[in-house]
């Protein structure tokens, strides 16, 4: 490979990795927005109270601002409900039309408004980084055109995610919309990780995990199951978070230590489920341990993955036994998204097994 192509690949990988890290940080910021109850700090989208720079005082808003923004949300939700009906989701459409919470407008809170505004600024930065990733990928089209087209897909996905964000706002944080929004963010992370991984193979095409193909496939399958289980776990977590939001609101955000006691069955499923996932990954790690010298990179990535699992369980325990500290909630979500990122990247690396077969004791 000539030096020009090598330089282009390395430049692309730096931009792509930066974009991926930024998406993870945006997930963290989104968790902060959720834990502070700032999701409706800006009642419209993409502007905030009709301005690109949000107000700092309620005096800067018209006296009837609640009615103004409720009317705008209702109008947008009707268009969204019509779209769902045309797509065959009439039940969900009716759920949106009949949701009385959509007609509620939170009182202006400058702190919540600016927290949500910072979240939106971070999202705009992600958009610019995705565009930059696409620009750098064009230089690789003669080497691997799929990288460029996957970068185009990432741009389409971030635009779709932005639209989903607007629907989350217009539906007043409808719980299943928040889950969809989170799943799309995780898919975006995995897409960027794949692009980064694929570009790395251009530099080291002969690099592979020194593991028999049949064994590699077996543990790749198990890790794939682990990824799916982790996605379900995050969705369960969003449902637990929804219950906590309701309990907190009913308690006027007081008596945090009693919130856990009021959670239903889904919380106990979420808590027990984490131990099952940890057990599966401990088993995979134990089986891969004899091959640690064949590929130090995969081994080191798996060590980080297990450390993340332990840390996220500890953070969950802290929330359960110490009154759900607000600063732990976004960290818990952030760690969960990092776990999926590491799972997926290791899954990609396990796809490089040798075709030769050996016996495993």
């Amino acid at each position: 490979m000539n030096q020009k192509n090598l330089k282009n690949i390395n430049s692309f990988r730096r931009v792509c990795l930066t974009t991926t890290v930024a998406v993870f940080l945006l997930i963290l910021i989104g968790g902060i927005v959720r834990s502070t109850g700032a999701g409706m700090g800006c009642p419209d989208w993409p502007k905030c109270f009709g301005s690109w720079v949000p107000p700092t005082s309620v005096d800067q808003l018209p006296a009837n601002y609640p009615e103004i923004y409720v009317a705008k949300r209702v109008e947008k939700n009707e268009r969204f409900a019509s779209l769902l009906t045309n797509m065959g989701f009439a039940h969900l459409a009716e759920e949106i039309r009949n949701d009385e919470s959509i007609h509620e407008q939170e009182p202006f809170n400058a702190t919540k408004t600016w927290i949500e505004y910072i979240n939106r600024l971070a999202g705009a930065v992600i958009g610019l980084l995705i565009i930059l990733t696409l620009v750098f990928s064009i230089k690789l089209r003669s080497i691997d055109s799929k990288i460029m087209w996957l970068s185009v897909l990432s741009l389409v996905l971030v635009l779709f995610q932005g639209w989903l964000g607007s629907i989350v706002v217009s539906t007043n944080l409808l719980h299943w919309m928040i889950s969809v929004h989170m799943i799309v963010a995780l898919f975006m992370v995995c897409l960027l990780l794949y692009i980064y991984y694929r570009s790395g193979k251009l530099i080291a095409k002969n690099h592979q995990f020194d593991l028999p193909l049949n064994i590699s496939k077996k543990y790749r399958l198990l890790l794939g199951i682990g990824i799916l289980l982790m996605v379900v776990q995050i969705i369960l977590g969003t449902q637990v978070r929804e219950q906590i939001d309701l309990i907190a609101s009913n308690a006027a955000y007081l008596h945090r230590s009693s919130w856990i006691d009021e959670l239903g069955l889904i919380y106990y499923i979420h808590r027990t489920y984490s131990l099952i996932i940890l057990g599966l990954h401990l088993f995979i790690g134990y089986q891969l341990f004899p091959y640690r010298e064949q590929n130090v990179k995969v081994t080191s990535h798996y060590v980080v993955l297990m450390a993340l699992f332990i840390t996220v369980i500890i953070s969950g325990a802290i929330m359960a036994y110490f009154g759900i500290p607000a600063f732990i909630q976004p960290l818990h979500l952030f760690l969960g998204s990092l776990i999926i990122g590491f799972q997926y990247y290791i899954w990609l690396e396990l796809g490089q097994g040798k075709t030769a077969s050996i016996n495993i004791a």
Side-chain angles (χ1 to χ4, degrees), residues 91-347:
H91 175 72
L92 292 178
E94 285 305 307
E95 180 183 346
I96 290 174
R97 290 190 176 103
N98 297 326
D99 189 350
E100 291 299 323
S101 69
I102 290 172
H103 297 271
E104 298 173 3
Q105 173 62 43
E106 290 188 9
F108 175 79
N109 182 302
T111 301
K112 291 183 177 181
T113 293
W114 278 86
I115 290 174
E116 170 60 14
Y117 183 65
I118 291 171
N119 179 46
R120 295 188 184 187
L121 289 179
V125 171
I126 297 296
L128 294 175
L129 286 172
I130 291 286
I131 293 173
L132 194 61
T133 300
L134 174 57
V135 170
F136 275 76
S137 72
I138 294 174
K139 297 180 180 180
L140 306 184
R141 66 186 184 280
S142 61
I143 309 172
D144 186 349
S145 61
K146 287 186 178 180
I147 289 178
M148 184 188 73
W149 290 114
L150 289 170
S151 298
V152 171
L153 178 60
S154 69
L155 178 59
V156 172
L157 199 60
V158 79
L159 293 174
F160 176 67
Q161 182 73 329
W163 175 77
L164 277 179
S166 73
I167 298 299
V168 169
V169 171
S170 70
T171 56
N172 201 4
L173 311 180
L174 191 62
H175 65 276
W176 64 266
M177 280 303 306
I178 293 175
S179 297
V180 172
H181 196 52
M182 184 66 202
I183 291 171
V184 173
L186 294 174
F187 183 78
M188 186 185 306
V189 163
C190 289
L191 177 60
L192 289 168
L193 284 173
Y194 176 72
I195 295 171
Y196 178 78
Y197 168 81
R198 187 181 180 99
S199 63
K201 291 187 70 177
L202 296 176
I203 301 174
K205 287 179 179 281
N206 297 323
H207 173 72
Q208 59 183 8
F209 186 21
D210 192 12
L211 186 69
L213 184 60
N214 61 327
I215 301 299
S216 177
K217 284 183 175 181
K218 174 182 177 181
Y219 295 112
R220 198 169 190 245
L221 174 62
L222 288 174
L223 191 57
I225 294 172
I227 294 171
L228 293 176
L229 292 177
M230 193 63 201
V231 171
V232 172
Q233 177 71 327
I234 286 183
I235 294 174
L236 287 173
T238 62
Q239 303 309 305
V240 173
R241 178 69 235 178
E242 180 72 18
Q243 288 189 357
I244 291 175
D245 288 346
L246 181 60
I247 293 168
S249 177
N250 291 337
Y253 297 93
L254 301 174
H255 314 296
R256 299 181 71 96
S257 59
S258 66
W259 295 355
I260 289 290
D261 296 333
E262 298 182 44
L263 291 173
L265 178 62
I266 195 169
Y267 163 70
Y268 295 99
I269 294 174
H270 178 67
R271 187 176 68 177
T272 305
Y273 193 62
S274 64
L275 299 178
I276 295 173
I277 299 175
L278 176 63
L280 172 64
H281 287 82
L282 285 172
F283 171 77
I284 297 172
Y286 175 76
Q287 294 295 315
L288 291 176
F289 184 74
Y291 302 98
R292 62 192 180 281
E293 295 181 359
Q294 281 91 329
N295 196 304
V296 177
K297 183 180 290 186
V298 172
T299 304
S300 62
H301 288 165
Y302 207 89
V303 169
V304 174
L305 176 62
M306 296 313 301
L308 288 171
F309 268 117
I310 294 171
T311 307
V312 79
I313 289 175
I314 291 173
S315 68
I318 291 173
M319 286 195 292
Y321 296 106
F322 293 92
I324 317 181
F327 73 94
I328 291 291
Q329 295 170 16
L331 179 62
H332 191 67
L333 175 63
F334 176 64
L335 291 170
S337 65
L338 281 178
I339 285 174
I340 288 183
F342 271 89
Q343 283 177 312
Y344 181 65
Y345 201 81
I346 295 169
W347 182 83

Side-chain angles (χ1 to χ4, degrees), residues 26-38:
L26 183 59
I27 291 174
L28 175 61
I29 294 172
I32 293 172
V33 170
R34 191 81 192 274
S35 67
T36 56

